[in-house]
């Protein structure tokens, strides 16, 4: 039996601070105050609570408010029986602060790497059926904003068929929204905005932009971006009832620089295969790159920032398309003048198509 003096004790039943002696008997101890003694208490039930200055505070399992405050030199036999003090937390104290900090840094780096790069290898693993269902659920008829006329649809179908070997896997639509934009969405959905058609100077410009968006679909960039921005919960768990918010988020979805480069490369390749001159796309990017990052946009180009927000542009992209031009090659226009007119005016002709930027889906 040994005694330890200068111990403060609260019994949990009153706010009285008591000065007691600790009497150790094997795996148990008693607390003695004058002629009063309480216990026995099992060391196995003692829990480390906190540190107050130079003192360590212990509690007792199942006894709320019970506290034992030890300060000063502690006998070795008592130290061996008490739980070890905790400075930062269980696993940090077990590892040590230096090792714990290294482990945390390593774990953080791995987590960041997973967030950045896992979509690239996860996207191809998502079944096409999931991609299609997600696209159907999110896009639908785009709130009745898709434009259709027999001649306009025929021109659009001709353009898509010239740019892709499996056009049946794609659903390309024109939306009656006056914004210079084009987006690729899940399920092979590609949407050209009417503002893009209005401001395009030739069908070759539209062909280059459309091929770029199809490139995002074929390279699985759409699912990668969706996984990166919205997470697996939306992809695998379905979307909630607020489709408008989800679609708006997806319209703002951006791709990485490498994905944009791959989509550009896809566009240049299919334009060459279709014998469509890339000079139109180079001209398109030239006009947009002049506005890249600018705060003020002329009124006539008010919708152009929509494209800039999700498609980072630069003069280098214009240069790349210009370099892909084969000198002396006899290119064919993407559409005939009459087909181009029908496509460009399709939304103006379709009186049934709703207009506007809202996505108030039910």
């Amino acid at each position: 039996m040994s005694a330890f003096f200068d111990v403060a004790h609260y019994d949990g039943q009153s706010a009285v601070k008591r000065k007691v002696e600790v009497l150790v008997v094997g795996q148990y101890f008693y607390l003695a105050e004058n002629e009063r003694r309480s216990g026995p208490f099992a060391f196995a039930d003692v829990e480390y609570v906190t540190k107050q200055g130079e003192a360590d505070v212990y509690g007792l399992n199942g006894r709320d408010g019970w506290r034992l405050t030890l300060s000063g030199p502690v006998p070795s036999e008592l130290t061996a029986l008490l739980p070890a003090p905790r400075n930062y937390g269980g696993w940090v104290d077990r590892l040590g602060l230096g090792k714990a900090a290294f482990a945390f840094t390593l774990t953080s780096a791995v987590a960041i790497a997973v967030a950045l790069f896992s979509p690239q290898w996860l996207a191809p693993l998502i079944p096409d059926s999931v991609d299609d269902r997600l696209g159907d659920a999110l896009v639908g008829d785009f709130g009745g904003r898709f434009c259709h006329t027999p001649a306009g649809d025929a021109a659009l179908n001709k353009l898509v068929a010239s740019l892709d070997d499996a056009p049946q896997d794609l659903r390309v639509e024109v939306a009656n929204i006056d914004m210079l934009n084009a987006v690729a969405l899940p399920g092979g959905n590609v949407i050209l905005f009417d503002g893009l058609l209005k401001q395009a100077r030739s069908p070759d410009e539209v062909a280059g932009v459309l091929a770029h968006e199809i490139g995002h679909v074929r390279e699985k960039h759409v699912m990668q971006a969706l996984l990166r921005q919205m997470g697996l919960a939306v992809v695998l768990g379905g979307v909630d009832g607020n489709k408008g918010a989800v679609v708006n988020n997806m319209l703002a979805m951006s791709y990485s620089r490498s994905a944009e480069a791959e989509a550009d490369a896809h566009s240049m390749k299919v334009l060459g295969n279709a014998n469509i001159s890339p000079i139109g796309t180079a001209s398109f990017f030239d006009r947009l790159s002049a506005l890249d990052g600018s705060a003020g946009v002329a009124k006539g180009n008010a919708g152009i920032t929509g494209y800039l927000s999700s498609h980072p542009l630069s003069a280098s992209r214009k240069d790349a398309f210009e370099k892909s031009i084969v000198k002396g090659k006899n290119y064919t226009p993407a559409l005939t003048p009459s087909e181009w007119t029908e496509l460009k005016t399709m939304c103006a002709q379709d009186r049934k198509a709703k207009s506007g930027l809202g996505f108030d889906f039910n």
Side-chain angles (χ1 to χ4, degrees), residues 22-289:
V22 178
L23 305 176
V24 180
V25 182
Q27 297 297 314
Y28 295 86
F29 65 94
Y30 293 85
L31 298 179
E33 180 186 12
N34 297 324
E35 296 182 358
R36 176 187 175 189
R37 190 170 73 170
S38 60
F41 306 102
F43 281 103
D45 293 333
V46 176
E47 302 172 335
Y48 186 82
V49 177
T50 187
K51 193 173 189 67
Q52 292 181 349
E54 298 299 323
D56 293 311
V57 181
Y58 298 85
L60 193 66
N61 186 26
R63 295 281 294 271
D64 291 340
W66 192 98
R67 292 292 184 267
L68 198 64
T69 302
L70 301 172
S71 59
V74 181
S76 59
E77 64 266 30
L78 186 58
T79 303
L81 294 170
L82 290 171
R86 298 192 309 271
N87 296 318
Y88 306 99
W91 70 274
V92 177
D93 288 327
R94 287 194 297 272
L95 286 177
L97 181 59
K99 291 182 179 179
F102 175 78
F104 178 79
T105 302
L106 181 62
T107 302
S108 300
V110 171
I112 293 173
V114 169
L116 290 176
F117 299 112
S118 63
Q120 297 179 12
W121 55 264
L122 276 177
L125 302 179
I126 303 295
D128 290 339
S129 58
V130 173
D131 194 29
D132 293 340
R133 287 198 302 270
L134 187 62
D136 292 340
L138 289 176
V139 179
D141 66 350
F142 219 59
R145 291 169 176 82
F146 289 147
C147 307
H148 293 284
T149 64
D153 289 340
L156 182 60
N157 291 336
K158 175 185 175 180
L159 189 60
V160 175
S162 69
L163 299 174
D164 194 83
D165 294 333
Q168 68 277 4
D169 296 337
L170 301 170
R171 181 190 176 193
V172 182
E173 300 280 1
V174 175
N176 191 20
I177 297 176
D178 192 17
M179 177 184 290
L180 200 160
N181 210 340
V183 294
L185 298 175
N189 288 277
V190 177
I191 301 175
L192 301 175
F193 286 56
D194 186 48
L196 171 70
L197 298 179
K198 287 179 179 178
Q199 296 196 42
R201 295 177 180 176
S202 72
D204 293 358
E205 290 189 5
V206 176
V209 174
L210 177 56
H212 176 94
E213 298 302 332
I214 292 175
H216 283 313
V217 173
R218 294 307 185 197
E219 298 295 336
K220 299 290 186 179
H221 297 156
V222 181
M223 187 57 68
Q224 290 177 25
L226 185 62
L227 289 171
R228 187 178 295 110
Q229 177 168 328
M230 307 181 71
L232 282 171
V234 172
V235 177
L236 301 180
V239 293
D240 60 19
N242 189 5
K243 292 184 180 180
V246 176
V247 171
N248 276 323
N249 286 336
M250 295 187 67
L251 291 179
M253 191 169 58
S254 61
Y255 301 103
S256 66
R257 291 185 180 273
S258 61
E260 290 293 342
E262 288 179 358
D264 279 350
H266 181 92
S267 178
M268 287 181 276
K269 178 181 178 181
V270 299
L271 288 177
N273 293 340
N275 201 38
I276 298 173
S277 175
I279 193 170
T281 311
S283 176
F284 175 79
F285 283 162
D286 185 40
R287 299 202 310 275
L288 293 187
S289 63

